[in-house]
Amino acid sequence: MTEINAIKEVKPGDAIIFHYWGIDHEGIVASVTTDPEDKKLGIVHVIHYAFNFPITRTIKEERLFFDLNQHKLSKKVYEHVQQYDAATTIERARARVGEQRHNAFNNTSRHLVEWAKVGNDSTMLENGTFPVNNGIMRRYNAYSWHDLEEGCIFDYSYYGIRHQGVVTKVNMQDNMVTVVHYGTLGIFSRRTVMKEDVPIDFKMQTLMIYRCDPAFKHNTPDEVITKAEQRIGEQSWKIMSNSSWKFCLHCLFN
């Protein structure tokens, strides 16, 4: 961290740390207005997970006043890691304004900053690691359309439980993705590999993706989609050996 001694040292796209509701808190700077008379006074528009009384937390772009005679303000410094440029960082952070998925363990304001500045290359954003026969799968929250790609393994709620499928089409215009998965037409119907459209609400839904560790050999996205679509109509679901998760892994590795 670098301590800020004058507001003009703060630039759009910076990741800053400041005191918020009595604790250290992080956010992305969207814009800065300095006081022409006093270099320690200024207004900073910050994108962060804001606290809404009494319990709701929402990502907002807020206008905050800082007086460095009274307030401590620091800037995060990233070394040996690739960062997005300032405009892209702000655009990514703004894409999540309105989100209400705060989680004290894996989706705080700090996670927002890491995602906007560095993306999922940040190891802090991993929320699970899963050894499989052919490699290691790492799970991440999917926060926006930046995170969803055709051929990826997608984790979402299906009949009230966590479920996985292979994304074959991303439809941002209609807020939809098409997945091939081991699904069912009803809770008591026979499970079948099917292609299905899934509505997406990044602001409220807990959505996740899996990525294979690049050290391990795996199929390309096009190959994953082809293998998934070839199995449409299959009815050989087994909870231990041929679940929707196992289906996805088979498409990725075999």
Side-chain angles (χ1 to χ4, degrees):
M1 295 185 297
T2 299
E3 187 170 348
I4 299 298
N5 297 305
I7 296 297
K8 67 179 182 179
E9 297 173 12
V10 180
K11 306 296 181 183
D14 282 348
I16 59 170
I17 302 172
F18 55 99
H19 230 44
Y20 183 75
W21 288 82
I23 61 172
D24 283 342
H25 187 72
E26 300 185 15
I28 295 294
V29 176
S31 63
V32 182
T33 304
T34 58
D35 188 297
E37 305 278 331
D38 190 336
K39 66 180 183 179
K40 290 187 177 289
L41 302 181
I43 294 171
V44 181
H45 285 249
V46 181
I47 304 167
H48 68 123
Y49 242 120
F51 182 72
N52 288 347
F53 186 83
I55 57 173
T56 306
R57 292 178 187 255
T58 305
I59 295 179
K60 294 183 177 181
E61 182 173 333
E62 288 196 307
R63 178 179 181 271
L64 302 178
F65 171 74
F66 288 99
D67 177 356
L68 299 183
N69 295 300
Q70 304 178 46
H71 306 141
K72 183 179 179 181
L73 183 61
S74 301
K75 179 164 59 176
K76 294 186 75 172
V77 178
Y78 291 85
E79 297 179 344
H80 312 300
V81 63
Q82 187 171 352
Q83 304 172 51
Y84 293 108
D85 59 52
T88 302
T89 297
I90 295 168
E91 187 271 331
R92 285 170 64 84
R94 280 182 171 153
R96 292 179 56 185
V97 169
E99 178 185 301
Q100 294 185 339
R101 292 168 53 185
H102 184 272
N103 182 294
F105 300 102
N106 61 44
N107 195 18
T108 65
S109 220
R110 185 182 179 195
H111 293 87
L112 165 66
V113 166
E114 289 288 303
W115 181 86
K117 286 288 289 185
V118 181
N120 283 329
D121 287 339
S122 170
T123 57
M124 194 188 86
L125 296 179
E126 294 176 14
N127 67 12
T129 302
F130 304 88
V132 293
N133 291 341
N134 303 76
I136 295 175
M137 298 296 291
R138 304 185 190 280
R139 187 177 65 196
Y140 302 84
N141 283 327
Y143 297 117
S144 83
W145 294 109
H146 293 287
D147 296 320
L148 290 183
E149 299 175 346
E150 293 177 358
C152 74
I153 296 178
F154 181 48
D155 186 300
Y156 58 104
S157 179
Y158 187 71
Y159 286 97
I161 61 173
R162 301 312 304 175
H163 186 75
Q164 298 80 35
V166 171
V167 174
T168 61
K169 183 178 180 182
V170 175
N171 187 345
M172 295 174 56
Q173 184 175 352
D174 294 330
N175 292 317
M176 198 89 64
V177 295
T178 303
V179 300
V180 175
H181 67 121
Y182 241 117
T184 177
L185 296 177
I187 195 166
F188 297 113
S189 299
R190 188 170 184 181
R191 303 193 188 212
T192 305
V193 176
M194 60 178 64
K195 182 178 286 190
E196 191 169 19
D197 291 333
V198 178
I200 298 296
D201 181 359
F202 288 108
K203 308 299 184 185
M204 303 297 293
Q205 292 175 315
T206 300
L207 306 171
M208 295 179 283
I209 55 170
Y210 291 84
R211 291 192 174 100
C212 179
D213 189 300
F216 297 92
K217 183 179 179 180
H218 57 278
N219 294 326
T220 67
D222 286 345
E223 290 171 334
V224 172
I225 292 171
T226 297
K227 289 179 178 295
E229 291 181 336
Q230 286 173 344
R231 291 177 61 181
I232 290 175
E234 176 185 297
Q235 293 184 326
S236 303
W237 181 88
K238 293 182 177 61
I239 191 169
M240 296 301 294
S241 61
N242 200 26
S243 63
S244 207
W245 170 243
K246 295 289 188 180
F247 163 79
C248 292
L249 292 180
H250 184 273
C251 294
L252 183 63
F253 291 114
N254 295 347

